[in-house]
Amino acid sequence: MRDRPYTLLSCSVSIDGYIGNGASRLLLSNDADFDRVDAVRASCDAILIGAATVRIDNPRLLVRSRSRRAERAARGLAPSPMKVTVTRRAELDAGADFFTAGDAEKIVYCASGRVVDARKRLGPVATVVDGGDTVKMSTLSSDLAARGVERLMVEGGAKVHTQFLTEDLVDELQLVVAPIFVGDSDAPRFVRDGSFPWNPGRRASLVDVRQIGDVVLLRYALSSRFEEG
Ligand SMILES: NC(=O)c1ccc[n+]([C@@H]2O[C@H](COP(=O)([O-])OP(=O)(O)OC[C@H]3O[C@@H](n4cnc5c(N)ncnc54)[C@H](OP(=O)(O)O)[C@@H]3O)[C@@H](O)[C@H]2O)c1
């Protein structure tokens, strides 16, 4: 068993580099690309998002295509991948679609200080894991591997992206650029400040560029594990 899952980070950005407006869900894709993302989801064992994305976007994170759900079932898998989130404050609503949609297992990695509270609130709808005083994405990734997750899809938001990338835990980046501007410097960008392994001295490796209607998909290999993904 690998010490962490193959990790694919998938994100859509506006032309000016924003991933949302910070207040409500902002669609930064088109139907064909949503279908591509659906196929990527179907190929993964787990999907991870940050607690702010649970609160703001309220995503269901289910595989939409009936045939893909059936293919997963034929492989002995749940119709949709496990859902994973991470929180420090544990202010998550048990009625959010993240928890109520679909039968897949839901896991909440919670900082130690709020685990009791999180279990009270979310215990009936999710497995709450004590992530330690500070939840480290490397520790979380190892724990997911121990739970049988071989392929992990990270779907935002910016705080989560930043930690996975700065800790060098991402094998593949799929970045979609949507033909709109957000134009608000208070809105979340793809990542926050940090020390990233890719810089002018170590450039990331671009492996594919694909136009999908009015968006473009950029695919980067970020580790030597890329080929195995
Ligand atoms: N375009 C896209 O592809 C895309 C995808 C996803 C999201 N988004 C957008 O991204 C925005 C949200 O991004 P964001 O950066 O504000 O938030 P985020 O990354 O979704 O979530 C941040 C929250 O996750 C929890 N968290 C993160 N790291 C943690 C750690 N190490 N330990 C414990 N808890 C941790 C904290 O939750 P608590 O506050 O509960 O403690 C933190 O406030 C939204 O506007 C959303 O629409 C866009």
Side-chain angles (χ1 to χ4, degrees):
M1 186 191 81
R2 291 279 202 163
D3 61 347
R4 68 166 177 82
Y6 182 89
T7 302
L8 183 158
L9 194 158
S10 168
C11 180
S12 306
V13 297
S14 62
I15 290 175
D16 51 347
Y18 294 99
I19 61 168
N21 57 23
S24 57
R25 186 170 211 173
L26 179 66
L27 296 185
L28 286 160
S29 211
N30 57 34
D31 287 347
D33 189 56
F34 280 128
D35 187 57
R36 178 194 64 80
V37 170
D38 194 61
V40 178
R41 281 184 182 163
S43 75
C44 289
D45 302 309
I47 303 174
L48 181 144
I49 57 173
T53 297
V54 174
R55 289 189 288 263
I56 294 169
D57 288 9
N58 193 24
R60 293 157 57 85
L61 300 183
L62 301 178
V63 173
R64 293 182 196 187
S65 148
R66 188 178 297 176
S67 61
R68 290 183 190 123
R69 289 198 304 266
E71 278 165 28
R72 285 180 56 94
R75 287 164 48 213
L77 302 172
S80 293
M82 173 194 287
K83 302 187 214 178
V84 182
T85 190
V86 56
T87 181
R88 193 168 293 114
R89 295 179 294 147
E91 287 173 12
L92 286 164
D93 178 359
D97 286 350
F98 178 92
F99 296 109
T100 58
D103 298 326
E105 187 176 1
K106 290 105 191 167
I107 302 193
V108 178
Y109 288 90
C110 182
S112 300
R114 298 302 296 269
V115 164
V116 173
D117 186 41
R119 289 205 175 119
K120 240 183 254 161
R121 192 179 318 184
L122 304 170
V125 292
T127 301
V128 177
V129 177
D130 186 339
D133 290 339
T134 305
V135 184
K136 291 271 294 171
M137 296 305 147
S138 52
T139 313
L140 177 157
S141 295
S142 303
D143 188 75
L144 286 176
R147 292 171 190 271
V149 174
E150 293 180 1
R151 199 171 151 84
L152 171 67
M153 183 174 186
V154 175
E155 284 208 67
K159 287 182 185 161
V160 163
H161 293 156
T162 305
Q163 293 168 81
F164 270 88
L165 289 164
T166 55
E167 290 185 41
D168 205 355
L169 295 170
V170 182
D171 302 297
E172 174 173 350
L173 168 61
Q174 298 189 356
L175 190 68
V176 163
V177 182
I180 64 165
F181 286 80
V182 171
D184 174 3
S185 60
D186 289 333
R189 285 185 175 276
F190 169 43
V191 290
R192 296 164 74 101
D193 294 351
S195 174
F196 295 87
W198 306 276
N199 51 51
R202 183 185 169 212
R203 293 157 74 103
S205 171
L206 178 67
V207 290
D208 193 21
V209 177
R210 203 184 319 158
Q211 182 172 351
I212 305 170
D214 65 355
V215 306
V216 62
L217 167 66
L218 306 168
R219 220 168 145 221
Y220 295 89
L222 297 187
S223 88
S224 57
R225 285 178 71 180
F226 175 77
E227 290 297 334
E228 78 182 55

